[in-house]
Amino acid sequence: MNVNGKHYETISITGGKKPVIQVIDQRVLPFRFEFKKLYTVEDAFSAIADMVVRGAPLIGATAAAGMYLSLCGYTGRSPITDYINRMARYLVSARPTAVNLPYAVDFVLEEISKGHTLAEKINLAKDAARHIIDLERENCLRIGEYGLPVIERIAGEKNGKPVNILTHCNAGWLACIDYGTATAPIYLAHDKGINVHVWVDETRPRNQGARLTAWELQQHGVPCTIIADNTGGHLMQHDMVDIVIVGCDRATTNGDVANKIGTYLKALAAKDNDVPFYVALPSSSFDWKIADGLTEISIEERDPEEIKYIQGVYNDKWISMLITDIESNAANYAFDVTPARLITGLITEKGICQAERYSIRNLFPGKISL
């Protein structure tokens, strides 16, 4: 997508004698647009855990690149197979909820196994990481192409009035490689000349909506308005939301989805007000091994300090400000699960399906057994 009129992607790999993974440091947006270079597998782990990078597809791509860096840093002190498996477990442990992380690592492991020498394994790992990056980019474009007609139909009913779309957290190009998942249909609609407007949830406690989604939409020229997280229901009650589109960190074979905390509440409000609620996700965000999201998806609990403090810029200086009593307890659940019954449809790179087992199976034959 565009930043100051120039196209960027969220991750790139440079080979050579000193391989480097370059990512956009999302922690300092929208105040500064900076890149961070990753040289080691530990750098990749920290980038994921500390949310230098975030968003399910980008986390997977960074982990794949981390596997490549791990092989570049192999010293021969332990058997290479043991070392590779240990590095894989290490990267997967960085964050627990997004299934794209183990998916990408497993893919690289499978490709590495085809090599016999260290040099072969390094080249295979690099190619595998680049494949994941290319695949996620292409998947997001396809999600946009399948989601576009949904927005077009609403636009046709509104006779030129804005199509008001509500989204939650950041499922844009910053969270992916390009296009985004939830934002891909929005970008394609805007570029086609459709009058769209996006309600952007602030997404406490880290404010990925206010700080990331609004910034990237504005960079692309898409009209948007930041709202407090609890505003969505009010807007829906007053016919100010035409459709909700969110991303996904892990989906089950029955159609339950885990996404940023607060998504479930948006789905409830949408259901109560007859507002279509769509989840946009690549197939890499499906966990084909589980069916019940409420009991089988591990929900990440992050540091309570993220709730008690808020970060921002004051007098051109980056500050962290306490907003609660210092002794207050806080619980910081990073994700929640939206049951399939509340979801209108799943927008994937293969098409749109219902959030239920047989419809998903028809779209992805061979992935789900009866």
Side-chain angles (χ1 to χ4, degrees):
M1 288 291 110
N2 296 320
V3 179
N4 298 322
K6 183 178 179 180
H7 178 259
Y8 289 91
E9 293 182 342
T10 48
I11 186 171
S12 62
I13 299 176
T14 302
K17 292 183 178 179
K18 193 174 183 180
V20 178
I21 311 302
Q22 181 172 275
V23 296
I24 295 170
D25 191 341
Q26 299 187 32
R27 300 170 301 177
V28 298
L29 286 170
F31 312 109
R32 299 196 299 269
F33 183 62
E34 296 179 353
F35 293 90
K36 187 173 181 63
K37 293 183 177 180
L38 314 178
Y39 297 100
T40 67
V41 64
E42 290 81 10
D43 289 344
F45 177 94
S46 296
I48 296 169
D50 297 339
M51 296 180 73
V52 173
V53 298
R54 23 96 22 232
L58 181 57
I59 287 173
T62 305
M67 287 299 296
Y68 165 56
L69 292 176
S70 75
L71 276 167
C72 293
Y74 176 62
T75 61
R77 293 177 182 175
S78 61
I80 189 166
T81 300
D82 293 346
Y83 172 81
I84 290 171
N85 289 333
R86 186 169 71 252
M87 291 300 99
R89 293 192 299 270
Y90 171 62
L91 283 166
V92 168
S93 71
R95 295 192 70 186
T97 301
V99 74
N100 304 64
L101 178 50
Y103 165 83
V105 170
D106 286 345
F107 177 81
V108 178
L109 283 175
E110 184 176 347
E111 294 301 300
I112 289 172
S113 68
K114 299 173 184 177
H116 301 288
T117 67
L118 176 61
E120 288 177 349
K121 290 180 182 295
I122 288 174
N123 286 328
L124 286 166
K126 180 173 65 175
D127 290 345
R130 284 179 170 163
H131 173 78
I132 290 289
I133 291 171
D134 292 342
L135 180 64
E136 293 295 7
R137 182 197 305 110
E138 183 68 16
N139 283 346
C140 286
L141 174 58
R142 296 288 172 254
I143 287 169
E145 291 172 342
Y146 282 114
L148 174 60
V150 178
I151 296 177
E152 287 179 318
R153 285 195 295 271
I154 297 172
E157 297 168 357
K158 298 204 70 176
N159 299 315
K161 294 181 180 179
V163 178
N164 288 302
I165 304 164
L166 186 144
T167 190
H168 188 66
C169 194
N170 174 258
W173 74 268
L174 287 167
C176 304
I177 311 302
D178 211 343
Y179 301 102
T181 52
T183 58
I186 298 171
Y187 285 130
L188 267 61
H190 171 80
D191 291 350
K192 196 172 181 180
I194 296 173
N195 188 2
V196 295
H197 167 263
V198 183
W199 295 111
V200 181
D201 282 351
E202 59 183 347
T203 324
R204 284 278 295 143
R206 293 185 66 98
N207 295 324
Q208 296 100 320
R211 288 174 51 183
L212 303 179
T213 302
W215 177 79
E216 69 166 79
L217 289 172
Q218 288 164 182
Q219 288 290 330
H220 200 76
V222 179
C224 61
T225 304
I226 298 169
I227 56 174
D229 284 351
N230 293 328
T231 306
H234 168 79
L235 296 177
M236 293 183 211
Q237 286 178 324
H238 292 273
D239 298 323
M240 298 171 71
V241 178
D242 298 302
I243 183 174
V244 180
I245 310 178
V246 301
C248 172
D249 287 83
R250 187 180 296 242
T252 74
T253 56
N254 282 346
D256 300 334
V257 302
N259 193 50
K260 184 57 59 183
I261 193 76
T263 302
Y264 172 49
L265 297 179
K266 298 300 180 296
L268 286 171
K271 187 73 170 181
D272 192 51
N273 290 279
D274 295 320
V275 175
F277 183 95
Y278 283 88
V279 178
L281 72 161
S283 54
S284 56
S285 292
F286 277 99
D287 189 333
W288 303 112
K289 299 176 182 177
I290 65 174
D292 189 322
L294 288 175
T295 61
E296 296 183 272
I297 294 179
S298 175
I299 299 298
E300 178 183 5
E301 295 184 50
R302 295 185 60 82
D303 192 334
E305 299 296 287
E306 291 181 348
I307 291 179
K308 296 172 68 172
Y309 289 82
I310 194 166
Q311 287 74 40
V313 168
Y314 178 73
N315 288 339
D316 294 326
K317 292 183 179 180
W318 184 265
I319 64 169
S320 181
M321 182 178 293
L322 180 67
I323 58 173
T324 70
D325 180 80
I326 189 66
E327 300 297 331
S328 295
N329 293 324
N332 187 7
Y333 297 94
F335 302 90
D336 58 23
V337 173
T338 298
R341 60 184 171 80
L342 300 177
I343 299 170
T344 305
L346 304 175
I347 310 173
T348 80
E349 80 274 14
K350 297 292 186 181
I352 299 178
C353 65
Q354 294 179 327
E356 61 90 23
R357 190 174 188 87
Y358 288 97
S359 185
I360 296 170
R361 183 174 179 271
N362 287 338
L363 204 59
F364 297 96
K367 293 292 186 180
I368 303 175
S369 60
L370 291 177

